[in-house]
């Protein structure tokens, strides 16, 4: 297994929870991901925006960089995320983890949501389809946000996935972002505010107020 690249943001010495940010990619690509990757850089901007308010709640933020850009059937990206969860657990113990994913990152998130540390998933402009599991969300919280001008992933498919997840998840919500697109550049502040709010919502359900 390749060495995993993780960037850390505002991690308290003894975090009460962690946010694992998962970036987007392409359906198929064997290209290595480096610091020039637009998808990774967009996720880094998101992580930097989430980190201060997460730290106020006692949580730290890690950003994963996949080995390759492509979903490529999913197995390798899922392995990347599971390795990150193992390393996070080794570093910080059995604290609750929220998976915050954009586009393909949200797809990766729902495939690894059955990890014992994960308490919920927040998907932004997610790439979800009928092929993706909902059983992994049993006992967990699902939050999603999607714009109706997204031409890369589908608001309709996200709605269908969310409706399937209602049967197994503890709590499900889809935030309609209206006339916003996929890359979270237009309306970036609104995207970041929603990401922070949904992430803290999931953490609030998982971490008792007396432990924060």
């Amino acid at each position: 297994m390749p060495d995993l690249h993780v960037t850390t943001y505002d991690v308290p010495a003894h975090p009460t929870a962690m946010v694992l940010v998962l970036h987007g990619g392409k359906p198929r690509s064997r290209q290595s991901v480096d610091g020039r990757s637009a998808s990774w850089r967009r996720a880094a901007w998101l992580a930097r925006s989430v980190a201060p308010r997460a730290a106020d709640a006692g949580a730290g933020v890690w950003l994963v960089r996949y080995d390759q850009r492509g979903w490529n059937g999913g197995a390798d990206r899922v392995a990347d995320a599971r390795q990150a969860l193992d390393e996070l657990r080794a570093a910080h113990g059995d604290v609750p983890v929220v998976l915050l994913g954009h586009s393909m990152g949200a797809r990766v998130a729902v495939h690894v949501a059955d990890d014992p540390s994960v308490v919920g998933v927040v998907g932004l402009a997610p790439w979800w389809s009928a092929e993706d599991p909902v059983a992994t969300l049993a006992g967990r919280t699902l939050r999603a946000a999607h714009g109706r001008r997204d031409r890369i992933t589908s608001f309709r498919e996200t709605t269908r996935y969310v409706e399937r997840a209602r049967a197994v998840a503890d709590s499900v919500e889809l935030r309609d972002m209206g006339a916003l697109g996929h890359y979270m550049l237009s309306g970036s502040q609104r995207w970041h505010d929603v990401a922070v709010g949904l992430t803290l919502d999931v953490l609030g359900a998982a971490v008792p107020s007396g432990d924060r």
Side-chain angles (χ1 to χ4, degrees):
M1 182 175 290
D3 291 337
L4 190 69
H5 183 94
V6 173
T7 306
T8 63
Y9 299 86
D10 292 344
V11 180
H14 302 287
T16 58
M18 292 293 296
V19 180
L20 188 65
V21 180
L22 300 166
H23 66 82
K26 289 189 170 186
R28 289 171 298 278
S29 174
R30 297 294 179 185
Q31 182 178 355
S32 296
V33 180
D34 59 25
R36 296 170 294 179
S37 163
S39 295
W40 181 86
R41 291 175 67 181
R42 184 64 189 87
W45 183 16
L46 173 66
R48 290 193 301 271
S49 297
V50 170
R53 287 175 60 182
D56 288 344
V61 175
W62 279 20
L63 168 63
V64 177
R65 185 189 297 176
Y66 311 129
D67 185 50
Q68 296 178 350
R69 286 182 75 184
W71 173 250
N72 303 332
D76 291 340
R77 300 297 72 77
V78 167
D80 287 342
R82 291 203 184 276
Q83 182 181 351
L85 286 162
D86 287 343
E87 293 186 9
L88 191 155
R89 207 160 18 244
H92 298 295
D94 293 323
V95 298
V97 177
V98 177
L99 303 174
L100 173 58
H102 172 235
S103 190
M104 186 183 79
R107 188 174 208 183
V108 174
V110 297
H111 281 256
V112 301
D114 57 352
D115 181 273
S117 294
V118 172
V119 295
V121 169
V122 177
L124 307 176
W127 176 25
W128 290 332
S129 74
E131 300 174 3
D132 296 310
V134 294
T136 54
L137 294 165
R140 289 152 175 84
T141 299
L142 177 66
R143 298 287 182 263
H146 211 139
R148 291 178 178 265
R149 288 191 178 176
D150 194 324
R151 299 295 179 263
I152 306 299
T153 57
S154 168
F155 182 92
R156 181 175 296 179
E157 287 296 331
T158 294
T159 301
R160 289 172 177 163
Y161 182 86
V162 165
E163 288 307 309
R164 285 200 294 128
R166 289 188 193 281
V168 296
D170 274 1
S171 175
V172 176
E173 179 187 334
L174 171 58
R175 186 75 56 89
D176 186 342
M177 299 297 286
L180 292 180
H182 184 72
Y183 294 107
M184 305 191 302
L185 300 174
S186 177
S188 60
Q189 188 59 55
R190 186 176 168 212
W191 278 110
H192 292 171
D193 288 346
V194 166
V196 169
L198 295 179
T199 299
L200 293 181
D201 180 33
V202 176
L203 285 178
V207 182
S209 58
D211 292 343
R212 292 182 219 166

